[in-house]
Each structure stands twice: as structure tokens, then as C-alpha cells.
């Protein structure tokens, strides 16, 4: 699983004190749940391989395997600058 040179989609969702930021590159979907009062505090992470697990039933984000490098890379892309707005496809 890796970030490829494809267009990336992104979105955000807020519910009470938790905000969800999500992005996909076509193969992977990455989600971060953060506190609305402290964007630095990640409450939970989700990573799904949409090719191998199209139902998104197996969260790979917590596995201590090669996925950790991918999680770090996607997290950095999602969080640099203006968050999810920097991850969305160019117009």
C-alpha cells in the first residue's frame, strides 16, 4: 500500500467535540478523529485498503507493520498547512 500519484479526495465532519478528517487516494482511505478544541490531539485513526477490503471492515491504522509508515505519511499530508483542504484535488 502506498500513496501513488493520483488525485486525492478529502472531507471533514464535526460531531460535538470531535472532528473527523478523511482522505483517499483511490487505494487507501485514511481518517483522523481529533478534538475540536485541540487539532493536535488525535483521538483515533483509521486506515483501510479499499482494494483488498472494499467494505472497510479491517482497520490497519493500529497495526505495528509496514502500515505505520503509510499512516505517518498520510497524517502529514492531511495535517500540513490547512488540513484536509490541502489534501483535496486541484481544481
Amino acid at each position: 500500500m502506498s500513496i501513488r500519484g493520483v488525485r486525492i479526495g478529502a472531507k471533514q465532519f464535526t460531531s460535538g467535540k470531535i472532528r473527523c478528517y478523511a482522505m483517499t487516494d483511490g487505494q487507501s482511505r485514511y481518517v483522523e478523529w481529533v478534538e475540536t478544541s485541540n487539532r493536535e490531539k488525535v483521538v483515533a485513526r483509521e486506515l483501510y485498503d479499499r482494494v483488498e477490503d472494499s467494505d472497510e471492515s479491517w482497520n490497519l491504522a493500529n497495526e505495528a507493520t509496514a502500515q505505520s509508515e503509510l499512516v505517518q505519511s498520510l497524517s502529514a499530508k492531511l495535517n500540513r498547512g490547512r488540513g484536509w483542504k490541502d489534501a483535496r484535488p486541484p481544481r
Side-chain angles (χ1 to χ4, degrees):
M1 206 183 314
S2 64
I3 299 176
R4 300 174 305 188
V6 297
R7 293 172 63 124
I8 295 176
K11 65 180 179 176
Q12 75 176 16
F13 168 77
T14 304
S15 177
K17 297 180 180 183
I18 303 295
R19 178 168 287 159
C20 169
Y21 294 91
M23 60 185 286
T24 182
D25 66 357
Q27 178 175 345
S28 305
R29 184 168 82 93
Y30 178 69
V31 181
E32 280 187 356
W33 296 87
V34 299
E35 290 184 356
T36 55
S37 62
N38 181 0
R39 177 83 165 74
E40 299 295 318
K41 180 152 184 179
V42 177
V43 177
R45 289 184 168 92
E46 300 174 34
L47 173 65
Y48 301 102
D49 183 333
R50 300 180 80 193
V51 174
E52 298 295 322
D53 179 21
S54 61
D55 293 330
E56 297 181 356
S57 57
W58 188 6
N59 183 0
L60 302 171
N62 297 324
E63 291 192 10
T65 64
Q67 310 315 338
S68 63
E69 190 173 307
L70 178 59
V71 167
Q72 290 174 5
S73 175
L74 290 168
S75 181
K77 184 164 190 76
L78 191 62
N79 289 301
R80 71 156 208 245
R82 298 176 304 154
W84 70 273
K85 291 179 183 179
D86 283 337
R88 67 182 170 192
R91 292 181 183 200

